[in-house]
Amino acid sequence: MDWGMKNRISRIIKKDGRTVMLAVDHGYFMGPTTGLEKLDETVNPLLPYADTLMLTRGALRNYIPPENDVPIVLRVSGGTSIIGKELLHEGITVSMEEAIRLNVSGVAFSIMVGSDFERDTLLDFTKVVDEAERYGIPVLAVTAVGKEMAKDVRYLSLASRMAAELGARIVKTYYCEDFEKIVDTCPVPVVIAGGKKTSEKDALKMAYDAIQAGAAGVDMGRNIFQSSNPAAMIKAVRAIVHKKATPDEAYGVFEKAGKGER
Ligand code: 5RP
């Protein structure tokens, strides 16, 4: 692995092998998602606690100050919406030249294993990998899941391993029972998405279980930015990912931070 690739990965995944990625890319297919209507007002106060920010180029340009040094993972797939007929039949939306111009640390692309569109998304994914590798940019594969597919260990380990075999340097998937199997059979770091907003306690427990099972961290969105207190929630997630906190200890961090205590 060359220096540039190593350097970029080390900006995303910290020295302890872990990362708290803040995912705020939802607008690329969901429009003004709850909590991100004015993305800067929600996200900018969270930047000191995020190891990495995952978003689109439009959000980056319009909402994030360029002086900020949080490493960026740029969403480079898209092309369909939640109201269209082919959700997640995604193609390449950003060139590698643009990614370099935006000084990103990584790019993210959704693959759709098992759907009618799997071949299109997998072949576009490998095109992105070829381009990104040429410039030492790691590609994070998002193992997107269609409504008709089960988010179980059989499916997610298949999709995660395929992503790594096709060139992903990091894989993002969903937490599920027997998550160890996904981590054990995937040769690159695995991070979990948060999924739909649930209670803070449940989201922290899921993050904890994923870390216990060997995940490198989270790439979490709604369970942070739709929390009653997003800053308190990201601090609590950090406690689990980087400080070995239990779910109860992390919830204590959430409550304390919510009261303005350190
Ligand atoms: C969509 C994504 C989102 O970034 C991802 O789902 C993370 O956000 P959340 O924690 O809200 O699920 O990659 O394909």
Side-chain angles (χ1 to χ4, degrees), residues 23-26 28-29 54 75 88 90 110 142 144 172 174 192-196 219-223 225:
V24 294
D25 58 327
H26 304 61
Y28 87 96
F29 72 108
M54 178 184 174
R75 156 88 41 198
L88 298 174
E90 296 186 3
S110 289
V142 179
K172 169 173 171 171
Y174 288 88
I192 60 154
K196 275 192 187 148
D219 186 12
M220 193 177 267
R222 289 163 288 182
N223 277 292
F225 65 72

Side-chain angles (χ1 to χ4, degrees), residues 160-176:
S160 298
R161 176 62 175 262
M162 282 182 65
E165 298 256 357
L166 293 175
R169 296 283 187 170
I170 305 170
V171 168
K172 169 173 171 171
T173 191
Y174 288 88
Y175 181 73
C176 65

Side-chain angles (χ1 to χ4, degrees), residues 6 29 41 48 52 82 97-98 114 124 138-139 155 177-178 199 229 233 235 256:
K6 275 190 190 155
F29 72 108
E41 288 177 13
T52 309
I82 42 166
E97 187 188 355
E98 170 80 331
D124 273 354
V139 181
Y155 174 77
E177 216 171 292
D178 298 326
S199 71
N229 190 329
M233 186 59 180
K235 285 180 193 170
K256 258 189 176 178

Side-chain angles (χ1 to χ4, degrees), residues 92-189:
I92 302 167
T93 54
V94 184
S95 69
M96 219 40 67
E97 187 188 355
E98 170 80 331
I100 293 164
R101 195 160 36 232
L102 292 166
N103 199 25
V104 304
S105 298
V107 295
F109 191 99
S110 289
I111 57 170
M112 207 44 195
V113 174
S115 80
D116 291 347
F117 328 117
E118 74 169 12
R119 186 168 189 277
D120 291 355
T121 62
L122 291 173
L123 293 185
D124 273 354
F125 173 69
T126 56
K127 280 185 203 151
V128 167
V129 170
D130 277 340
E131 275 288 287
E133 290 277 328
R134 183 177 303 157
Y135 301 108
I137 298 177
V139 181
L140 178 148
V142 179
T143 56
V145 184
K147 277 190 187 133
E148 65 281 9
M149 287 163 229
K151 281 185 190 164
D152 61 15
V153 67
R154 188 165 165 265
Y155 174 77
L156 296 173
S157 60
L158 171 83
S160 298
R161 176 62 175 262
M162 282 182 65
E165 298 256 357
L166 293 175
R169 296 283 187 170
I170 305 170
V171 168
K172 169 173 171 171
T173 191
Y174 288 88
Y175 181 73
C176 65
E177 216 171 292
D178 298 326
F179 194 78
E180 298 80 10
K181 189 176 169 221
I182 298 176
V183 175
D184 288 350
T185 57
C186 183
V188 300

